[in-house]
């Protein structure tokens, strides 16, 4: 598999955002410009226009954070990391920025099999002038749709189809992004909570054991969290908890 440069990753992210514009299937991709500003100099005036494609592209970039959360593995990763921090009993460590940074880097790594064909098959031909922007959008949509469908539970998808009033027997390529995106996000939340529950169990056992020991010793005024926190940190470090968490998250996506 070819490696992506920083500019390639950015280009793939842009096309990933463009794929989100499938919410508007009837959007017109016109080549003509639209009036932007008119400069008048005496009796003469000159009108400047902006390409519709450029306007659409700049607008699409504003949706990049939303698309990152709703069309990639970012949501599952950040929720699991937040649950893990709570299970350890740590309120501010690691800080939110660190967790977001870990989630972003893992997202870029795990989504590489999705972004690589977007960059190779959509962005590079479009940059070379071999295909139009609309054709690049159509090509970029396919790997994103395939990834989202592979991570979406069938019951979540059926629920969204019922809400949208669409038939339940639609083919995967016939399902609109307006239905697929909420079904994907709900499925990601479900999977993240399942992983978080499994992470919580060992730390909950430590809390129960410590609380039972303190109560048996008559030290009911001492908070069990103060005593259990060092033990939880020690166990987490001894089993290489961060590596196990990252490995479990990567395995939960089925290898992509």
């Amino acid at each position: 598999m070819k490696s992506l440069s920083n500019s390639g990753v950015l280009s793939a992210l842009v096309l990933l955002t463009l794929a989100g514009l499938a919410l508007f299937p009837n959007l017109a991709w016109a080549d003509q410009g639209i009036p932007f500003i008119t400069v008048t100099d005496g009796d003469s005036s000159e009108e400047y226009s902006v390409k519709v494609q450029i306007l659409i592209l700049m607008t699409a970039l504003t949706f990049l954070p939303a698309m990152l959360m709703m069309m990639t593995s970012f949501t599952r990763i950040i929720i699991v990391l937040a649950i893990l921090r709570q299970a350890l009993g740590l309120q501010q460590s690691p800080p939110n920025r660190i967790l977001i940074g870990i989630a972003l880097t893992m997202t870029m790594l795990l989504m590489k099999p999705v972004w690589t064909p977007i960059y190779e098959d959509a962005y590079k031909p479009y940059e070379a002038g071999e295909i139009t922007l609309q054709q690049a959008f159509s090509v970029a949509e396919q790997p994103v749709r395939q990834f989202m469908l592979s991570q979406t539970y069938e019951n979540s998808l059926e629920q969204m189809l019922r809400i949208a009033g669409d038939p339940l027997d639609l083919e995967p390529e016939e399902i609109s992004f307006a239905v697929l995106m909420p079904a994907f996000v709900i499925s990601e939340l479900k999977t993240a909570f399942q992983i978080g529950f499994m992470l919580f169990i060992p730390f909950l056992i430590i809390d129960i054991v410590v609380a039972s020991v303190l109560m048996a010793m008559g030290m009911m005024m001492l908070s069990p969290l103060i005593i259990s926190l060092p033990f939880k940190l020690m166990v987490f470090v001894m089993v290489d908890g961060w590596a196990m968490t990252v490995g479990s998250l990567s395995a939960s996506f089925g290898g992509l």
Side-chain angles (χ1 to χ4, degrees), residues 68-69 71-78 103 106-108 110-111 147 184 188 253 256:
L68 181 67
M69 291 185 293
M71 299 172 63
T72 69
S73 57
F74 179 83
T75 299
R76 183 188 306 185
I77 297 171
I78 192 63
M106 284 194 62
T107 298
M108 295 180 66
L110 292 174
M111 294 294 294
F147 165 75
F184 170 75
E188 288 294 281
F253 289 96
L256 291 179

Side-chain angles (χ1 to χ4, degrees), residues 3-16 61 64 108 115-116 118-120 123-124 127:
S3 60
L4 288 177
S5 61
N6 292 334
S7 60
V9 172
L10 179 60
S11 304
L13 283 171
V14 171
L15 284 175
L16 177 65
L61 288 176
L64 186 58
M108 295 180 66
W115 288 338
T116 298
I118 292 177
Y119 177 69
E120 295 291 339
Y123 178 76
K124 291 180 69 174
E127 188 179 32

Side-chain angles (χ1 to χ4, degrees), residues 133-147:
L133 184 60
Q134 185 177 8
Q135 291 173 331
F137 155 72
S138 300
V139 174
E141 176 187 351
Q142 300 308 315
V144 178
R145 177 183 291 271
Q146 183 179 358
F147 165 75

Side-chain angles (χ1 to χ4, degrees), residues 196-212:
F197 172 75
M198 299 303 297
L199 289 174
F200 234 107
I201 291 179
F203 302 113
L204 181 61
I205 293 176
I206 295 176
D207 285 333
I208 293 175
V209 171
V210 171
S212 300

Side-chain angles (χ1 to χ4, degrees), residues 83-122:
I83 293 176
L84 174 61
R85 183 176 64 179
Q86 186 175 0
L88 285 169
L90 302 172
Q91 300 300 322
Q92 300 295 333
S93 183
N96 290 332
R97 293 182 179 181
I98 299 298
L99 295 184
I100 293 174
I102 295 174
L104 283 173
T105 53
M106 284 194 62
T107 298
M108 295 180 66
L109 179 61
L110 292 174
M111 294 294 294
K112 186 177 179 181
V114 178
W115 288 338
T116 298
I118 292 177
Y119 177 69
E120 295 291 339
D121 302 334

Side-chain angles (χ1 to χ4, degrees), residues 185-196:
V185 173
I186 291 176
S187 299
E188 288 294 281
L189 291 175
K190 179 179 179 180
T191 305
F193 278 29
Q194 289 174 342
I195 299 174

